[in-house]
Amino acid sequence: MSEELTHATIAELHGRLRRKEVSAVELLEAHEKRIDAVDGEVKAYLRRTPELARRQAEEADRRLAAGDHGVHPLTGIPVAIKDVFCTKDVETTAGSRILAGFKPPYDATAVARLREAGAVFLGMTNCDEFAMGSSTENSGYWPTHNPWDSTRVPGGSSGGSAAAVAAGEAVFSIGSDTGGSIRQPAALTGTVGFKGTYGRVSRHGLIAFASSLDHVGPFTRSIDDCATVLGTLAGHDPLDSTCFDRPLDLSTLNDGVKGLKLGLPREYFEVAGMEEGVKRSIAEAIDVLKEAGAELVEVSLPHTDYGLAAYYIVAPAECSSNLARYDGVRYGLSDPKAETVLENYLNTRREGFGAEVRRRLMLGTYALSSGYYDAYYLKAMKVRTLIKRDFDEAFQKCDAIVSATSPTVAFKIGEKTGDPLAMYLCDVLTLGADLAGLPGLSLPSRAEDGLPVGLQVISPQFREDLALQVGRAYEMASGVLAEVAPL
Amino acid sequence: MTLSRDQVRHVALLARLGLKDGEEDFYAEQLSHILEHIDRLGQVDTEAIPPTAQVVEMRNVMRDDVIQPSLTQEEALANAPEARDGFFVVKAIQDADPG
């Protein structure tokens, strides 16, 4: 009984809730039991919200009893929230000690939309501090473990949200993607992760990392579920003026890939450190798509080699500005013994921020500092233009781009923590879509030696439908589905 | 480009980051290693290329200037490390006795 509830999709559970085969409270209890059983090993949750969840589940049962017309597909469905989304009256810390104890007085728009839909909040999930990292080891609290092999990382920065779905500790979750922070952990945990076009989902209340790169999106166990959650999160928000007002039409989800042109970017298949197993799994996935009727075309993204360098100027520059707000005055950590304003800033930020955040704050401050602005920041913004143009040109020849999401499968905990640049290279295949603001999907392809591999699909701006259509076609043709890890 | 210990100290102060003992060397080495990779940007000809700051090309998003509900003073101060009489408490930024 219990596995039927914790290993299912949103679509299956919605049907069972509507048919009254199970109640939202029972669904919640099954998840609480599962979390109690496995989270000691996985450590996906930073904190749980049992009282809130109970109230929400009871309310969902009232809504479900009131009639099946107009019941939202997420009503009564348990969700996990990355610790970067302000959640009213629930401690929200962005995985950082500097925000320990912070209880936002309002909901992020993404959270508000889930709340209105009737989803049940299980708790806040672990992440790299301020979403800066690719392994969740930069959390100010503890590392999360990959449910498929607990000696390995779940990826990051949304590692807790990815692991929760992979471990059967939530039916779906939400995360943020600035350089790959949804897609890379989705790949490493065998879940479906997606971010839409820049501005598709409001950033209001998402604790800011790099504002021109931050995207919001879901982790789910199927493409169909992914479309459901994206549809719930998307839509104009007057509280984020970069959140655009364009309809999201996903009615072609099941139309297959016959007649679609899929671009294979040469450079994405030749990146340094690409593992043979990943190559094999992706080559097989591409064959499946070809068999299903897609036309394959070779495309080129000639500035791929410069993407990481441009990203590691733009993102740190923006974060050095965004994180100036942690001043020990309005919220979070403070040094009560400091005698001057400057002393309070220096002490608060020395004690509150971890090493990766400090590295990026210094890198960004340096890139924006007098005498270096043109050589670094302006230069990186120009290279960003070239990277966007590469994609524009590629999309003249194809409807969507397919590649691996991550050059490697999940790596060992501790393997890359001593070498920041090696960690940054985890995002070499994902950060282009962030720099260009493009929809990016990762879904499981065939696993290698029991470790998940992710297939990435990138589509043109405003064309989330194409990425999801390709993903759904692969899911149907391959029979490879996101599974819950045996724990 | 490499960063010296003095530069690290300078940048850390600009970023309002206190440093712990030994961190100047630690960050000088790590940041220099990262900047070595970033220096490849210099190989790209960007002479005639405009910079991109925002990719979706929206501009002038306007709204009516109407008062909307907002946080109460109490809510806004609820997370403050120290508040007094409806204000955030900030350390003195001037000497008490300028002499």
Side-chain angles (χ1 to χ4, degrees), chain A residues 126-211:
Chain A
N126 198 19
C127 57
D128 289 298
E129 186 178 10
F130 287 100
M132 298 177 195
S134 307
S135 69
T136 316
E137 291 164 293
N138 295 334
S139 164
Y141 299 89
W142 53 74
T144 293
H145 297 245
N146 193 311
W148 294 96
D149 175 349
S150 64
T151 66
R152 294 174 191 267
V153 303
S157 67
S158 315
S161 279
V165 173
E169 298 182 75
V171 182
F172 75 105
S173 61
I174 57 171
S176 60
D177 190 314
T178 305
S181 282
I182 291 175
R183 290 161 289 154
Q184 186 257 11
L188 271 47
T189 58
T191 50
V192 174
F194 188 51
K195 70 159 196 87
T197 308
Y198 178 79
R200 177 62 81 185
V201 179
S202 171
R203 290 180 293 108
H204 172 69
L206 166 69
I207 294 176
F209 161 14
S211 301

Side-chain angles (χ1 to χ4, degrees), chain A residues 20-97:
Chain A
K20 314 280 189 286
E21 292 166 16
V22 66
S23 72
V25 168
E26 286 166 342
L27 190 53
L28 167 64
E29 284 168 352
H31 280 83
E32 290 185 326
K33 230 170 106 187
R34 175 77 179 174
I35 298 170
D36 289 340
V38 304
D39 207 52
E41 187 176 349
V42 180
K43 297 182 164 63
Y45 285 92
L46 280 178
R47 62 200 76 86
R48 290 163 65 181
T49 50
E51 287 153 28
L52 172 62
R54 169 64 67 158
R55 282 200 306 277
Q56 288 175 317
E58 286 168 357
E59 169 59 24
D61 278 332
R62 277 192 291 275
R63 283 198 209 178
L64 285 154
D68 41 8
H69 286 292
V71 176
H72 192 284
L74 298 183
T75 301
I77 306 291
V79 59
I81 297 169
K82 184 179 181 183
D83 194 37
V84 292
F85 291 96
C86 285
T87 303
K88 189 171 160 50
D89 300 329
V90 174
E91 186 180 355
T92 305
T93 69
S96 181
R97 293 279 175 189

Side-chain angles (χ1 to χ4, degrees), chain A residues 107-398:
Chain A
D107 273 339
T109 298
V111 171
R113 290 194 174 156
L114 294 177
R115 206 189 281 272
E116 282 156 26
V120 173
F121 295 1
L122 295 170
M124 310 303 282
T125 56
N126 198 19
C127 57
D128 289 298
E129 186 178 10
F130 287 100
M132 298 177 195
S134 307
S135 69
T136 316
E137 291 164 293
N138 295 334
S139 164
Y141 299 89
W142 53 74
T144 293
H145 297 245
N146 193 311
W148 294 96
D149 175 349
S150 64
T151 66
R152 294 174 191 267
V153 303
S157 67
S158 315
S161 279
V165 173
E169 298 182 75
V171 182
F172 75 105
S173 61
I174 57 171
S176 60
D177 190 314
T178 305
S181 282
I182 291 175
R183 290 161 289 154
Q184 186 257 11
L188 271 47
T189 58
T191 50
V192 174
F194 188 51
K195 70 159 196 87
T197 308
Y198 178 79
R200 177 62 81 185
V201 179
S202 171
R203 290 180 293 108
H204 172 69
L206 166 69
I207 294 176
F209 161 14
S211 301
S212 83
L213 295 161
D214 290 344
H215 298 70
V216 174
F219 290 90
T220 60
R221 294 191 190 118
S222 75
I223 298 291
D224 191 43
D225 283 4
C226 176
T228 300
V229 182
L230 183 71
T232 306
L233 299 175
H236 179 61
D237 177 12
L239 297 171
D240 172 5
S241 58
T242 62
C243 179
F244 53 79
D245 191 11
R246 284 188 186 225
L248 176 70
D249 179 3
L250 302 178
S251 58
T252 59
L253 193 65
N254 294 311
D255 284 5
V257 282
K258 207 164 177 168
L260 287 188
K261 287 185 182 160
L262 300 182
L264 310 178
R266 194 180 315 134
E267 296 81 0
Y268 276 31
F269 289 82
E270 291 166 1
V271 293
M274 176 76 89
E275 290 174 353
E276 285 305 316
V278 173
K279 264 191 203 170
R280 269 198 304 276
S281 175
I282 297 305
E284 239 177 65
I286 290 167
D287 280 344
V288 167
L289 287 164
K290 191 180 170 194
E291 282 292 304
E295 184 187 335
L296 305 178
V297 289
E298 191 173 299
V299 295
S300 176
L301 300 168
H303 294 91
T304 297
D305 262 356
Y306 304 101
L308 189 78
Y311 180 85
Y312 275 96
I313 292 298
V314 173
E318 292 187 22
C319 88
S320 74
S321 167
N322 273 328
L323 272 60
R325 70 190 65 176
Y326 304 102
D327 58 4
V329 173
R330 288 162 297 168
Y331 33 67
L333 198 69
S334 190
D335 176 13
K337 293 199 201 80
E339 287 181 3
T340 65
V341 171
L342 181 61
E343 203 186 326
N344 191 22
Y345 291 160
L346 295 174
N347 295 353
T348 298
R349 293 158 68 83
R350 182 185 59 225
E351 297 309 316
F353 290 137
E356 182 59 29
V357 172
R358 294 155 68 75
R359 259 192 296 277
R360 295 201 199 185
L361 289 175
M362 283 193 265
L363 193 57
T365 302
Y366 176 66
L368 292 173
S369 66
S370 172
Y372 298 99
Y373 181 92
D374 285 3
Y376 285 118
Y377 187 62
L378 189 62
K379 184 80 183 182
M381 290 208 298
K382 289 178 172 182
V383 173
R384 187 175 187 183
T385 305
L386 292 170
I387 287 167
K388 182 165 184 293
R389 284 184 187 172
D390 284 354
F391 281 106
D392 290 345
E393 276 171 39
F395 287 130
Q396 298 291 316
K397 296 186 198 142
C398 64

Side-chain angles (χ1 to χ4, degrees), chain A residues 103 198 305-306 329-331 338 341 346 349-350 358-359 362 372 376 379 381-382 385 388 435 461, chain B residues 1 7 11 15-16 18 23 27 30 40-41 43-44 46 49-50 52 55-56 79-81 91 93:
Chain A
K103 288 186 178 173
Y198 178 79
D305 262 356
Y306 304 101
V329 173
R330 288 162 297 168
Y331 33 67
V341 171
L346 295 174
R349 293 158 68 83
R350 182 185 59 225
R358 294 155 68 75
R359 259 192 296 277
M362 283 193 265
Y372 298 99
Y376 285 118
K379 184 80 183 182
M381 290 208 298
K382 289 178 172 182
T385 305
K388 182 165 184 293
L435 286 166
Q461 282 192 349
Chain B
M1 182 64 93
Q7 279 175 304
V11 169
R16 298 295 186 251
E23 282 194 332
Y27 286 115
Q30 286 199 333
R40 67 175 61 194
L41 290 176
Q43 300 161 10
V44 189
T46 53
I49 308 299
T52 292
V55 284
V56 183
N79 282 289
K91 310 288 175 198
I93 55 166

